[in-house]
Amino acid sequence: PKPLLEVAGKALLARDLERLARARYRNIVINVSHLADRITARFGDGSRLDMRLLYSVEDFPRGTAGAVKALGSASLSDDVLILYGGIYPDTDCGKMVQFHRSHQALATLVLHDCVRDTARPRTPQGRTAPCDKMHACDGEPVALGPGQRIVDFPLYHPEARPGPAVSPLWIIRRALLHFVPDGIASDFVKDVFPAAVKAGEALIGYHETGTLADIGTPDRYERFAKSLARKKVV
């Protein structure tokens, strides 16, 4: 499973949990499906990390938002940090939490500056080419207003151009789950965030300059491993 891919000799999920522990997160829910038993066997209840780990096993695909709502609002705190399992986020989660709590927005979304490769063809859906940085590059572009407020999710650019894009790391307030429909698969970026913005709710962009590497495919993993070989990672 992707969360057990090794990054400089240590499983990606182990690095994520250590990073969250430094930010004083103690209650973690891990959504699992493919080869779930390997993940649960590796990390157990989290006591070795001074954490409380719970596992949510998907019986059918619910989408990123549907999977969170399926946990039940009563089991979630007012603020929930959501991180994809195939992402290596070299970011200060504690600092991000402080930023989020300084605003009244329903969500704080990590953004990265995306330099798109204009030589690559568009997808059949008309989307612009992925950017060429070692970020989580398939994030959707966003339009920002005053105070870093996200005002639109323009899925189709009239032309390929640089701009901020959403990385799969964000903090949501529990009230955002009101925009997640029941009984069908739903995605935060494609469905829930645009619906909240359309309803006039505030979503704030948080620019991250550190590495947010998507290593969820073999070629990306290989490129990232080579880039780490040139750095010292502990």
Side-chain angles (χ1 to χ4, degrees), residues 122-142:
R122 297 190 182 197
T123 67
Q125 293 75 26
R127 295 183 183 178
T128 53
C131 66
D132 58 3
K133 300 295 184 183
M134 279 300 296
H135 286 289
C137 293
D138 288 341
E140 300 289 359
V142 298

Side-chain angles (χ1 to χ4, degrees), residues 162-181:
V166 179
S167 296
L169 172 61
W170 45 73
I171 302 174
I172 68 167
R173 289 200 160 89
R174 187 168 50 182
L176 181 72
L177 297 179
H178 167 76
F179 292 96
V180 181

Side-chain angles (χ1 to χ4, degrees), residues 50-233:
D50 193 25
M51 286 179 157
R52 179 172 177 260
L53 299 184
L54 299 175
Y55 299 90
S56 175
V57 182
E58 279 196 330
D59 48 359
F60 63 90
R62 300 176 183 271
T64 57
V68 174
K69 188 170 185 177
L71 300 176
S73 295
S75 68
L76 301 174
S77 61
D78 289 337
D79 296 310
V80 182
L81 183 145
I82 299 172
L83 170 66
Y84 281 29
I87 303 298
Y88 176 82
D90 186 11
T91 188
D92 187 337
C93 294
K95 185 177 179 181
M96 182 181 174
V97 170
Q98 292 176 356
F99 176 87
H100 171 74
R101 290 177 176 169
S102 69
H103 298 82
Q104 297 302 312
L106 273 189
T108 297
L109 280 57
V110 168
L111 306 178
H112 64 269
D113 290 325
C114 192
V115 180
R116 298 181 183 275
D117 185 351
T118 57
R120 296 180 184 177
R122 297 190 182 197
T123 67
Q125 293 75 26
R127 295 183 183 178
T128 53
C131 66
D132 58 3
K133 300 295 184 183
M134 279 300 296
H135 286 289
C137 293
D138 288 341
E140 300 289 359
V142 298
L144 297 176
Q148 297 299 298
R149 181 165 174 164
I150 296 172
V151 296
D152 193 16
F153 288 81
L155 295 181
Y156 307 103
H157 277 302
E159 60 185 20
R161 63 177 182 268
V166 179
S167 296
L169 172 61
W170 45 73
I171 302 174
I172 68 167
R173 289 200 160 89
R174 187 168 50 182
L176 181 72
L177 297 179
H178 167 76
F179 292 96
V180 181
D182 295 317
I184 61 173
S186 178
D187 182 87
F188 274 113
V189 175
K190 295 177 182 177
D191 306 311
V192 178
F193 293 153
V197 168
K198 186 176 181 180
E201 298 290 351
L203 276 61
I204 300 295
Y206 178 82
H207 280 275
E208 174 59 64
T209 58
T211 300
L212 283 163
D214 182 346
I215 61 174
T217 64
D219 60 326
R220 288 178 177 174
Y221 178 69
E222 183 179 0
R223 286 193 295 124
F224 185 62
K226 289 179 179 178
S227 72
L228 287 185
R230 299 189 293 268
K231 303 176 183 178
K232 182 179 180 181
V233 178

